[in-house]
Amino acid sequence: MKDMEETIEIATPKRTKEIIQRHGFSFKKSLGQNFLIDQNILNKIVNAADLDESKGALEIGPGIGALTERLARVAGPVTAVEIDQRLIPILGEVMQPYSNVRVHHGDVLKLDLAELFNTDFASVDKVSVVANLPYYVTTPIMMKLLEEKLPVDSIVVMIQKKWLNGWLLHRDQKTTAV
């Protein structure tokens, strides 16, 4: 199912640069793209999701698949939703060794997540949402995940400190105003 012996770790500066250059990929500032290469951060995200082969993982914005690869090694079904069409062939290539990974091209804010859960995670009872979210879309994605009442076991996201500080300030102001 998950043949790690044939794969080379994606999340290294050298491998990430090689993949980007080979595909002629350039970052889109409008999408807030940045790719994880810090092994410690990847380990913390995956460990926080508390996954095993009996649980699924939905990754939002997989980029070139560094976190996706880590999820594929420990979880049951893994579904990655990527908005940037240019990354779909890259993900297809780097995720090829992992039979438990499905990649969808689309905007997670426009997808029918209930249907996605019904189709991609029918074989598991628990699903964790995992993401490295860009600043500009953190609030809409978090709101969608919370408002849709999906059968989510956990949500593990890396967010920018600036967003968290703004959210905490907004929350404190609302509490004080009541």
Side-chain angles (χ1 to χ4, degrees), residues 11-155:
T12 65
K14 182 179 177 180
R15 179 87 164 110
T16 296
K17 186 176 181 179
E18 184 268 328
I19 292 168
I20 289 169
Q21 288 178 341
R22 184 162 28 89
H23 289 273
F25 182 82
S26 58
F27 292 88
K28 274 191 177 178
K29 187 173 183 168
S30 64
L31 295 176
Q33 293 173 321
N34 63 78
F35 299 153
L36 292 172
I37 56 171
D38 186 314
Q39 305 291 321
N40 292 324
I41 290 173
L42 288 165
N43 289 336
K44 286 178 182 181
I45 293 170
V46 172
N47 289 339
D50 192 30
L51 295 165
D52 60 43
E53 289 192 359
S54 71
K55 300 175 185 176
L58 169 63
E59 182 183 8
I60 300 169
I64 63 169
L67 181 56
T68 319
E69 178 179 55
R70 294 292 182 90
L71 296 170
R73 291 178 178 177
V74 297
V78 176
T79 292
V81 177
E82 176 56 57
I83 194 170
D84 190 343
Q85 174 63 44
R86 301 169 309 147
L87 290 167
I88 301 304
I90 298 172
L91 286 163
E93 175 191 308
V94 298
M95 290 299 114
Q96 190 275 329
Y98 301 99
S99 61
N100 61 328
V101 175
R102 293 185 67 183
V103 176
H104 293 275
H105 172 245
D107 181 345
V108 74
L109 294 172
K110 296 177 182 174
L111 284 178
D112 182 344
L113 291 180
E115 178 63 25
L116 186 88
F117 270 69
N118 287 335
T119 57
D120 289 18
F121 300 115
S123 64
V124 294
D125 293 327
K126 294 183 177 184
V127 178
S128 291
V129 176
V130 184
N132 173 27
L133 296 176
Y135 176 80
Y136 81 97
V137 76
T138 300
T139 299
I141 288 175
M142 292 300 291
M143 294 307 296
K144 180 176 177 93
L145 292 171
L146 295 171
E147 290 173 352
E148 289 202 10
K149 297 180 176 46
L150 299 164
V152 172
D153 187 50
S154 66
I155 299 173

